[in-house]
Amino acid sequence: MTCRDALTHAADNEERYVDDLKTLLRIPSVSADPAGVSECVEFLSAHLMGMGMTVSVFKTERNPIIVGELKGTSPRTVLFYGHYDVQPPDPIEAWEHPPFAACECDGRIYARGAVDDKGNFFCIVKAIQSYVETAGSLPCSVKFVLEGEEEMGSESIADFVPQNLQLLRCDDMVWFDGGIHADGRPEVCLGMKGMAYVELSVESAVRDLHSGKAPLVDNAAWRLVWALRSLYGPDQRIAIPGFYDDVVGPSPSDARLIAGSRLTAQDILKDWTIQRLRDGYEGLPGDELLKRLYFEPTCTICGITTGYQGPGSKTVIPHTARAKVDFRLVPKQDPGDIIAKLRSHLCRQGFGDVEVSVDSAMPASKSDPDADVVRKMLDVMRSSYGQPVVKPIVEGSGPGCVFEQLGVPYVFARLGPAEDRSHSPNEYTTREAYRKGIATVIRLIAEYSH
Amino acid sequence: MTCRDALTHAADNEERYVDDLKTLLRIPSVSADPAGVSECVEFLSAHLMGMGMTVSVFKTERNPIIVGELKGTSPRTVLFYGHYDVQPPDPIEAWEHPPFAACECDGRIYARGAVDDKGNFFCIVKAIQSYVETAGSLPCSVKFVLEGEEEMGSESIADFVPQNLQLLRCDDMVWFDGGIHADGRPEVCLGMKGMAYVELSVESAVRDLHSGKAPLVDNAAWRLVWALRSLYGPDQRIAIPGFYDDVVGPSPSDARLIAGSRLTAQDILKDWTIQRLRDGYEGLPGDELLKRLYFEPTCTICGITTGYQGPGSKTVIPHTARAKVDFRLVPKQDPGDIIAKLRSHLCRQGFGDVEVSVDSAMPASKSDPDADVVRKMLDVMRSSYGQPVVKPIVEGSGPGCVFEQLGVPYVFARLGPAEDRSHSPNEYTTREAYRKGIATVIRLIAEYSH
């Protein structure tokens, strides 16, 4: 009966649990903001300790890693993961509510991190708390690892995990991030893309020059544009030689999972709340779109800055130009190899003046679709939300590759609301999503009681 | 003797004349800043009236045009031109002194506009003042037209001149802008390039999207990069069909002027205070470099802004992207025709989603190299500075095309210091340049005494 008690308790204490979430959301723990990060680490470790967990905070070269542990009744141990850092709120002027105020309006709670990932992992925290506050203990042992660099490449946790295999030992691993589908269907995910995030920069002179000098001098902006164009063009193929060498398409089992999700172009538009896909893509069958979404590596310009960007005109030759570029990689692609190929491609194309600095690099990963934890998660999600969409690889990147080293299967799912505004302005969660999320984790933990 | 008296008077009153210049330089009359512009117009019209000039201020759709007039002894009339607006001071953090403080340090006076154009046209003001304060009148009649939109395309003066041909009637037209050469040689110019300044913009979605969605949606940054690359590539040829149709190379007389300037790649590097020209260009003969500099139209990316530009990484697909692009045109190229060709090229290349908005458009112009005013200017510059470099067309753009409509020859020269930081941080003039500039204009006016 502990599960039912915990569920009732969570419902009875919704107001208090929502207040705690708002407190967390008000901490501006942008990955690159040390003050916000340290405030968040203090809050979370105190909060977990307050629930009776043993908490250790591990310093890293960048943001601390928090590990909490609480022994339970059964001999089984589930390791939960979450990340307390958030994306920068830019463009800040596009927010209707301040990004770190956690304003509540019509059942929505607006904040950067409301979905990605505070609003998700806090459901785990509150599920544990519900057990502790009712039964006084958990049905199974629980470990919780919270990192603060997910939005900047998860470098520290990549070092931390292999050095702390004993500390993190578990039977299964689980985490939550993102939101459910527009039609209310939940999502269960078994793999994630890898990532190579680089900055390309060019310096063509010691200062900006009057554009009348253009016939005789180089322009950093042109050099960068040409270099970028050499990577990827309107044919949608990444032109770096060897880029696709290690790409493996979907296996028959992957294809089955994709087909089972029965998503159409219209579902995707609705899920993403956008008006259109790439030209011509809306006519493609859902399976084909999902195959591309999950199994195609990509090269994205995330930002470019160069020269004059203010109002009106300024006739200058920019002397510096920078682009942030991310490569989302699929299983078997090695980010180090991709970056080496990028560098040598640029040199061969005559862009030796374009410097490549690596911001983060992480391979893709895929979990075992037949593992017990997958079945458990599917059962629980089905009972909370209905028949899940199962994704062999999600379109986002994350630390799956790191946790593969624990040698246990992993699965992750999404507890946020249907309209997922992760990384976008006006990110929000809802009371309903939070309530259902907590109940879902309570049920998942109950699955481990024997 | 009035010329010699005026010269002596200017030298005796240097301190006062420098103070007046500093007052002018402290007014932040950036073209797009209405407050700075209006303060500058007030200061200048009061200053010219204080010298006994008849002053009219003409409102325009943007920045006012000031016309001053003072009758002189001879029946000849010289029309002087200048512009009181300045470029924005960005990047402001690169300035060693505040851009609108006119700090004096080792004989240098630092300010945005110190060369372009306040420090130049104020030499005319002070030359007139020296005559007025000594002889009580001028050797010839003088008209002075000052505009406030030169740095944003001179649109209002383009309308104003043809509507005020009588008001501006004159025998010759003269202006000053920029600086002398590193070796101390002065420069006399007989033409200027045209300009088409456009902004290219793309909108691919209603908001930035998580870059995991990249396989299925468009990216405004990529669209813009591809569109830009379609205009101009590493072969240094502008790829817009018909772009070069109307381009006319240097005439024999142009070639003679170019050869006469005897400039080398090293001179150009020194003049521009830069480390290098475009790859391979330093080996070219000076004549070839100058031919390209004066007679080649260019396409310059002046700035690009899109997506995330802050520290660290943000994995987004930018939904908007904008580039500021200037085309410097040569005589016979029609800016309207060039913009039409640009638009149709983008459409034909599949970039119908790239919007082109025109910021300014102005054709090139060329004056008569055998005109009397050219000989006068050459004589005066030679006596002040030594043998001049004569440029058939300068690399910058300007309102030459507008004043061609007056039907009189024009010539312009440069009174600023050798290191010309127009449009760059730490722009400065020197006491010496200002002193010599005033003396030069005093001598030029004296040439019109009979």
Side-chain angles (χ1 to χ4, degrees), chain B residues 56 71 242 283 313 322 345 397 411 423:
Chain B
S56 315
K71 289 257 174 282
S313 62
R322 296 198 317 275
H345 166 78
S397 302
V411 65
H423 296 213

Side-chain angles (χ1 to χ4, degrees), chain A residues 87 90 197 207-208 211 214 216-217 222 226 232 272 278 299 302 304 306 308 312 314 324 326 328 424, chain B residues 87 90 197 207-208 211 214 216-217 222 226 232 272 278 299 302 304 308 312 314 324 326 328 424:
Chain A
Q87 281 276 322
D90 314 67
Y197 198 107
R207 61 175 198 282
D208 287 354
S211 70
L216 302 188
V217 297
W222 274 124
W226 298 338
Y232 184 58
W272 294 358
R278 182 172 297 146
C299 174
C302 299
I304 301 177
T306 182
Y308 183 66
K314 189 165 185 238
K324 292 177 193 283
D326 83 23
R328 300 259 175 191
S424 291
Chain B
Q87 281 276 321
D90 314 68
Y197 198 107
R207 61 175 198 282
D208 287 354
S211 70
L216 302 188
V217 297
W222 274 124
W226 298 337
Y232 184 59
W272 294 358
R278 183 171 297 147
C299 173
C302 299
I304 301 177
Y308 183 66
K314 188 163 185 240
K324 292 177 193 282
D326 83 23
R328 300 259 175 191
S424 292

Side-chain angles (χ1 to χ4, degrees), chain A residues 165-434:
Chain A
L165 294 176
Q166 188 55 34
L167 175 73
L168 300 173
R169 208 159 65 145
C170 59
D171 297 298
D172 285 325
M173 210 208 140
V174 170
W175 72 90
F176 300 96
D177 203 348
I180 60 170
H181 285 257
D183 61 6
R185 284 201 290 170
E187 189 170 298
V188 173
C189 311
L190 311 178
M192 40 201 346
K193 283 193 177 168
M195 164 73 85
Y197 198 107
V198 297
E199 183 166 293
L200 305 188
S201 59
V202 186
E203 195 173 322
S204 59
V206 291
R207 61 175 198 282
D208 287 354
L209 296 171
H210 189 288
S211 70
K213 299 176 165 62
L216 302 188
V217 297
D218 276 332
N219 176 329
W222 274 124
R223 300 289 305 162
L224 182 68
V225 162
W226 298 338
L228 287 169
R229 173 62 183 82
S230 82
L231 302 181
Y232 184 58
D235 65 351
Q236 319 288 353
R237 286 286 293 180
I238 294 161
I240 300 168
F243 183 86
Y244 293 98
D245 282 358
D246 301 319
V247 172
V248 181
S251 70
S253 137
D254 294 325
R256 217 167 24 246
L257 288 171
I258 289 175
S261 70
R262 291 189 305 275
L263 288 177
T264 65
Q266 288 312 310
D267 293 328
I268 294 172
L269 290 174
K270 217 169 151 193
D271 279 343
W272 294 358
T273 62
I274 57 173
Q275 264 72 56
R276 59 177 190 270
L277 298 180
R278 182 172 297 146
D279 233 19
Y281 275 42
E282 279 155 50
L284 295 175
D287 288 9
E288 178 58 29
L289 292 173
L290 294 180
K291 198 187 98 184
R292 294 185 191 191
L293 183 61
Y294 305 150
F295 288 92
E296 256 187 28
T298 55
C299 174
T300 296
I301 297 176
C302 299
I304 301 177
T305 187
T306 182
Y308 183 66
Q309 303 175 26
S313 62
K314 189 165 185 238
T315 51
V316 287
I317 302 171
H319 77 293
T320 60
R322 295 197 319 275
K324 292 177 193 283
V325 176
D326 83 23
F327 294 90
R328 300 259 175 191
L329 307 176
V330 295
K332 309 290 180 210
Q333 282 187 302
D334 169 16
D337 173 60
I338 293 298
I339 291 164
K341 283 171 172 164
L342 164 67
R343 286 204 166 103
S344 90
H345 166 78
L346 287 172
C347 274
R348 266 196 321 268
Q349 294 282 317
F351 299 113
D353 53 335
V354 177
E355 234 180 273
V356 177
S357 69
V358 179
D359 190 89
S360 64
M362 194 191 305
S365 82
K366 257 185 97 183
S367 190
D368 171 12
D370 300 317
D372 180 56
V373 64
V374 175
R375 189 201 49 75
K376 282 186 161 68
M377 181 68 95
L378 287 172
D379 287 350
V380 163
M381 294 304 277
R382 198 178 293 114
S383 86
S384 285
Y385 302 87
Q387 184 59 32
V389 172
V390 189
K391 293 189 171 175
I393 300 178
V394 295
E395 58 268 33
S397 302
C401 60
V402 172
F403 293 110
E404 274 188 345
Q405 300 172 76
L406 295 172
V408 301
Y410 71 79
V411 65
F412 62 102
R414 311 191 176 287
L415 304 176
E419 187 188 4
D420 180 0
R421 291 190 183 156
S422 297
H423 297 214
S424 291
N426 301 309
E427 184 178 349
Y428 70 88
T429 187
T430 61
R431 281 196 173 237
E432 195 202 344
Y434 186 47

Side-chain angles (χ1 to χ4, degrees), chain B residues 118-134:
Chain B
K118 289 171 174 175
N120 265 285
F121 83 70
F122 218 54
C123 293
I124 306 170
V125 175
K126 293 296 144 182
I128 296 171
Q129 189 174 359
S130 294
Y131 277 111
V132 169
E133 290 178 348
T134 49

